[in-house]
Amino acid sequence: MSELARTTEPEPIDPAVEAALAASREERAEALLEFARIPSVSTEPEHAADMVAAAEWVAARLSGVGASGVEVIRDTPLHPLVYGRIHEAPGAPTVLVYCHFDVQPADPLELWETAPFEPFLRDGRFVGRGVADDKGQLVMHLAAIGALRAAGRSPAVNLTFVFEGEEEFGSESLSAWIPANRERLAADLAVISDTTYFEGNVPAITVGLRGIMYAQIDVELSPVDLHSGQYGGSVENPANALARIITALKGPDGRVRIPGFYDDVVPLSEGDRARIGELPFDEEAFREETGVTALVGEAGWTVLESKTARPTLDVNGIWGGFTGDGAKTIIPAHAHAKVSTRLVADQDPQRVFDALAAYVAQVAPPGVTVSTTYIHGGEASLTPIDHPATQAAARAIRAVEGVDPVYIREGGSIPITAAFDHVLGLPVVLLGFGQPNCNAHAPNEWLDEANFERGTRVIVRLWDELAGLRAAANE
Ligand SMILES: [Zn+2]
């Protein structure tokens, strides 16, 4: 492109806001590092005080950028929520903004090159637990407002912020809070920043997320382990029985065998499959990066479809009996497995659990007591690509990144997305800025500062794009 052509292009964002961002670069990076030093691991009870500290950190920063009604909501079943709003654009749309301030546990610690909660920025990359998922993205939202303020502006849309501390743990507190606080959450759309760009750091908007249903299967034989010489062959072995049950759940073709499992799956259209097929996804590079010897998938579906747009089932853990060194000749008293399914629209977690429990009871051998317990669940979500809010986000990306985004589905789950969609009736734009291989949930989690910087600018631009939406609708 010639210099002449370049100068005629509109600025990606308001130059005054750009100047404010340029001036605050170090300060914003330091804010993320400070935030990531708080070990807000939601699933570990010993970090309860850190969850409160993280909530208070967010609330203070939200107040610092001029939000009103900022509140750390403590009367929840578990961890606090943070709420606040900036409603300074009469007549403009209201956007509900969501991120989470809890993180995954850091273990296995020995695989981290540095301490997980001593984050740093080196060679253009933040490293530390939560820098990508999701503290970096939360800080981008705060920074976008801070830069608007520094430029003497208010956001061009009305913003309502709700940040939670249980995303990695089923979102129970926020799920309970939403139906009771519909008025405080009233909006025209929701923007969730907890996703990533596509493989190779290609700017992306996520239009589909998988849901989840997590359960435990317990197989009990007797109060104590039995002598395998005295009893072997005459009683059912819980570990053997559990292995048979697990084998029944999913075939070698990748198909889940639970009757009714696929009943409510919204079929992929030819267009959906074509769009997925066009994504720049390199199976061999993905295989290499993952470090596995071969990729698998559901029969009849590509690897990318299998891992993002199709439901599946996995054993997350399995235990029972003797696991020490040497030999101990016992029949275990009991055996257990954690099992989860990743769901797609419109599968209902409770219905899937009921189907799983019924099927486990059906295939369980006699002679042992088998029970299945629901641990947590969340629905999948799907947002139309042609929705005006999705397209506003696409224009914001195009302005800042200089390319059109790709539209992707993600294999992971953000349980609260379905509540925004189904309970509050809001269209949801999943606009996240992490990198797909950022080691979220794994050791050495990272986020490139370039994504942090550009993501902040996409957010700034998005508020302007969404403001224009209502203006256009009102004309
Ligand atoms: Zn997340």
Side-chain angles (χ1 to χ4, degrees):
M1 190 190 296
S2 74
E3 281 306 308
L4 190 65
R6 192 166 301 180
T7 55
T8 61
E9 281 181 14
E11 302 281 352
I13 62 168
D14 178 340
V17 181
E18 176 55 48
L21 285 171
S24 64
R25 183 167 180 155
E26 267 177 48
E27 189 188 313
R28 288 181 291 108
E30 187 43 53
L32 172 53
L33 295 174
E34 185 183 301
F35 191 20
R37 275 182 213 117
I38 305 171
S40 47
V41 182
S42 51
T43 193
E44 294 175 350
E46 63 268 33
H47 286 294
D50 297 315
M51 294 309 306
V52 174
E56 282 170 349
W57 189 95
V58 172
R61 292 280 171 161
L62 204 48
S63 297
V65 295
S68 62
V70 175
E71 199 185 328
V72 175
I73 296 149
R74 291 165 188 277
D75 59 337
T76 64
L78 188 57
H79 300 309
L81 304 166
V82 179
Y83 176 87
R85 55 186 180 270
I86 300 177
H87 287 198
E88 300 170 7
T94 299
V95 184
L96 181 59
V97 177
Y98 166 96
C99 299
H100 63 91
F101 54 84
D102 62 323
V103 298
Q104 284 274 316
D107 58 288
L109 288 177
E110 65 276 14
L111 294 183
W112 284 80
E113 279 154 34
T114 54
F117 295 106
E118 289 169 26
F120 57 88
L121 170 61
R122 193 177 300 150
D123 301 329
R125 180 166 284 189
F126 294 98
V127 179
R129 171 57 84 229
V131 296
D133 180 18
D134 184 33
K135 288 177 171 175
Q137 310 207 35
L138 197 157
V139 172
M140 289 180 214
H141 276 280
L142 295 171
I145 306 301
L148 283 165
R149 296 299 196 196
R153 284 185 51 188
S154 285
V157 288
N158 300 301
L159 299 173
T160 301
F161 300 93
V162 64
F163 299 131
E164 70 155 321
E166 293 170 34
E167 194 278 333
E168 308 290 7
F169 195 45
S171 296
E172 189 194 344
S173 294
L174 182 54
S175 299
W177 196 76
I178 286 175
N181 290 274
R182 286 171 200 268
E183 274 156 44
R184 300 178 79 184
L185 297 169
D188 296 288
L189 71 143
V191 169
I192 293 179
S193 292
D194 189 23
T195 49
T196 67
Y197 278 1
F198 193 66
E199 314 291 332
N201 209 19
V202 176
I205 294 173
T206 302
V207 295
L209 283 174
R210 291 199 288 192
I212 190 166
M213 188 285 295
Y214 205 113
Q216 179 165 328
I217 301 172
D218 299 288
V219 183
E220 316 275 344
L221 171 69
S222 54
V224 292
D225 293 344
L226 300 178
H227 189 297
S228 69
Q230 272 180 318
Y231 294 91
S234 69
V235 297
E236 183 54 87
N237 180 312
N240 292 42
L242 179 60
R244 292 210 294 281
I245 292 167
I246 288 170
T247 303
L249 296 178
K250 188 177 174 184
D253 58 356
R255 292 278 296 176
V256 176
R257 298 274 175 84
I258 301 168
F261 181 76
Y262 295 98
D263 283 1
D264 299 325
V265 170
V266 175
L268 286 177
S269 69
E270 283 310 311
D272 291 333
R273 295 196 74 176
R275 211 172 289 110
I276 294 170
E278 282 163 13
L279 290 171
F281 179 69
D282 180 339
E283 281 190 16
E284 181 51 22
F286 173 70
R287 185 200 64 75
E288 230 169 78
E289 187 185 295
T290 314
V292 298
T293 54
L295 296 172
V296 299
E298 185 184 345
W301 303 89
T302 66
V303 169
L304 190 53
E305 286 167 342
S306 297
K307 82 184 193 80
T308 63
R310 292 288 298 167
T312 191
L313 178 146
D314 277 289
V315 174
N316 305 101
I318 183 165
W319 70 100
F322 177 69
T323 56
D325 288 334
K328 187 179 178 198
T329 47
I330 55 147
I331 293 173
H334 42 82
H336 314 267
K338 302 270 187 188
V339 174
S340 67
T341 57
R342 292 289 178 170
L343 309 176
V344 300
D346 285 325
Q347 288 177 297
D348 175 60
Q350 186 63 53
R351 277 196 66 182
V352 168
F353 171 76
D354 292 344
L356 168 74
Y359 186 55
V360 167
Q362 183 197 322
V363 299
V368 285
T369 305
V370 179
S371 58
T372 309
T373 309
Y374 186 82
I375 294 181
H376 71 79
E379 286 167 276
S381 80
L382 201 54
T383 304
I385 291 174
D386 58 3
H387 192 283
T390 309
Q391 287 307 310
R395 289 194 300 278
I397 285 181
R398 195 177 305 131
V400 172
E401 299 279 6
V403 294
D404 285 314
V406 293
Y407 299 96
I408 61 174
R409 296 179 189 224
E410 265 204 16
S413 308
I414 305 174
I416 215 61
T417 311
F420 288 166
D421 180 348
H422 301 152
V423 180
L424 296 176
L426 303 181
V428 176
V429 178
L430 293 156
L431 186 60
F433 308 100
Q435 281 138 289
N437 51 340
C438 65
N439 295 335
H441 300 202
N444 307 309
E445 180 176 345
W446 56 275
L447 173 73
D448 276 346
E449 193 187 20
N451 280 51
F452 181 72
E453 290 295 323
R454 290 200 304 269
T456 305
R457 286 160 176 81
V458 172
I459 293 167
V460 167
R461 178 70 182 237
L462 177 61
W463 302 153
D464 286 345
E465 289 290 342
L466 287 171
L469 212 63
R470 175 62 62 90
N474 287 348
E475 271 162 17

